[in-house]
Amino acid sequence: MSRWRLAYHANCWGPLGGNAVGVTSITQLTYRTFGDMARAAREIAAAGYEGIELFDGNLLDGEGDGFRDLRTALEATGLRLVSTYSGANFVFGEILEEELARIERAARAAAALGAEHLVVGGGAKRARGLAGGDFDALARGLDRVVALARAHGLNAHYHPHLSTIVERPDEVRRIFGKTGIGFCPDTAHLAAAGGVPAEMVREHAGRISYVHLKGWRRDPFAFTPVDEGDCDNAAVLQALAEIGYRGWITNELDSWPDPAEGARRGHAFVKARMPAD
């Protein structure tokens, strides 16, 4: 078996958004792709991938019928559900339990379908800027995520994300000095925030057991397939090879005119740089 296994996130097969009910009900504030997940699975499998990642909202859509449609799609394509992605504010103590309850629902659902990983983003930026204690509050929340993920047999990872309090390399370094959660580097978000993703992979090598590979263009700002743009994903793959990374690499692309074409390009890009065992 190859050192790396390749998956693709289904977020490109429709507009990205969230559950609008979450505006007034924190427990419902999930991410989702407004698209056909069965079609996404078929086209991801046809592009050569072994696995798929889903937003928590798309995953939880199947709770009521025991995930019948999702199980059917996975069985028909031979794909493995590798991970689900969720998120939270984490810094507002009064709502933290509601946020964690929602994340645990996603973890339970992912585990029921055989996933290995749970990825979370977050750490809200306040309207008036960073408040004292926000990094500590985020770290405590992330440690709670580690515990709930472990209870369901999942590995938990934090995904630094644009628009949160953890964007720049110094902020990434700061949060990982306070929490034991794993690091899921999203190469496009790291690059857009001023980091050099390959260097950050080397710096945080001991934290990485799951990866989001993503392309990014500086001007005009856009996320792109992993084989184009201003994020040097070839250097990232070289760094992963150097640190002896073994595990899933999930290519990701938020929006593209032809999602299947973007998936094929991403698969070819990584396969051409996959190290020999």
Side-chain angles (χ1 to χ4, degrees):
M1 181 179 293
S2 172
R3 178 184 296 180
W4 299 341
R5 303 184 72 182
L6 305 186
Y8 205 81
H9 199 299
N11 58 349
C12 200
W13 274 262
L16 306 186
N19 187 343
V21 178
V23 174
T24 52
S25 177
I26 302 251
T27 56
Q28 302 300 317
L29 192 54
T30 57
Y31 286 100
R32 67 175 54 250
T33 299
F34 294 94
D36 183 344
M37 294 298 96
R39 175 194 165 198
R42 290 193 301 272
E43 294 186 351
I44 287 169
Y49 293 92
E50 299 178 67
I52 187 171
E53 179 175 314
L54 294 172
F55 280 136
D56 54 353
N58 295 103
L59 178 60
L60 291 172
D61 279 348
E63 274 186 311
D65 65 3
F67 311 104
R68 181 186 59 207
D69 290 345
L70 182 53
R71 289 182 190 275
T72 298
L74 294 174
E75 291 170 4
T77 59
L79 289 176
R80 178 172 179 177
L81 178 68
V82 176
S83 180
T84 190
Y85 184 93
S86 189
N89 292 279
F90 288 117
V91 302
F92 305 121
E94 185 175 359
I95 65 171
L96 179 61
E97 296 304 321
E98 303 301 312
E99 293 183 319
L100 291 173
R102 172 174 45 75
I103 292 171
E104 184 159 23
R105 281 179 61 212
R108 185 182 301 111
L113 289 164
E116 296 178 38
H117 302 291
L118 170 69
V119 182
V120 298
K125 284 187 175 180
R126 299 174 185 265
R128 296 184 179 179
L130 189 70
D134 279 356
F135 270 80
D136 290 331
L138 172 58
R140 288 193 298 270
L142 294 177
D143 285 340
R144 295 276 303 277
V145 171
V146 172
L148 69 84
R150 185 179 295 128
H152 294 284
L154 302 176
N155 300 309
H157 310 268
Y158 180 62
H159 172 307
H161 202 289
L162 296 173
S163 81
T164 71
I165 62 174
V166 182
E167 297 180 330
R168 303 189 309 268
D170 60 309
E171 294 165 341
V172 173
R173 196 174 295 116
R174 182 177 178 184
I175 194 59
F176 285 133
K178 296 176 177 288
T179 175
I181 199 168
F183 176 25
C184 174
D186 181 302
T187 56
H189 282 264
L190 297 176
V196 180
E199 293 180 2
M200 296 178 76
V201 164
R202 293 185 180 94
E203 178 180 353
H204 300 282
R207 292 265 188 175
I208 299 172
S209 58
Y210 188 57
V211 175
H212 278 183
L213 202 72
K214 191 171 183 177
W216 163 71
R217 183 178 64 221
R218 179 177 288 106
D219 187 22
F221 184 100
F223 294 122
T224 67
V226 298
D227 61 354
E228 71 172 77
D230 297 303
C231 178
D232 190 350
N233 282 309
V236 172
L237 295 174
Q238 178 61 38
L240 289 169
E242 289 173 9
I243 68 171
Y245 176 76
R246 288 184 176 271
W248 289 96
I249 295 175
T250 294
N251 285 347
E252 185 183 359
L253 181 56
D254 286 359
S255 177
W256 198 248
D258 183 346
E261 185 255 353
R264 290 192 297 269
R265 286 171 57 180
H267 189 273
F269 182 84
V270 180
K271 286 287 284 186
R273 292 160 178 80
M274 191 173 287
D277 287 333

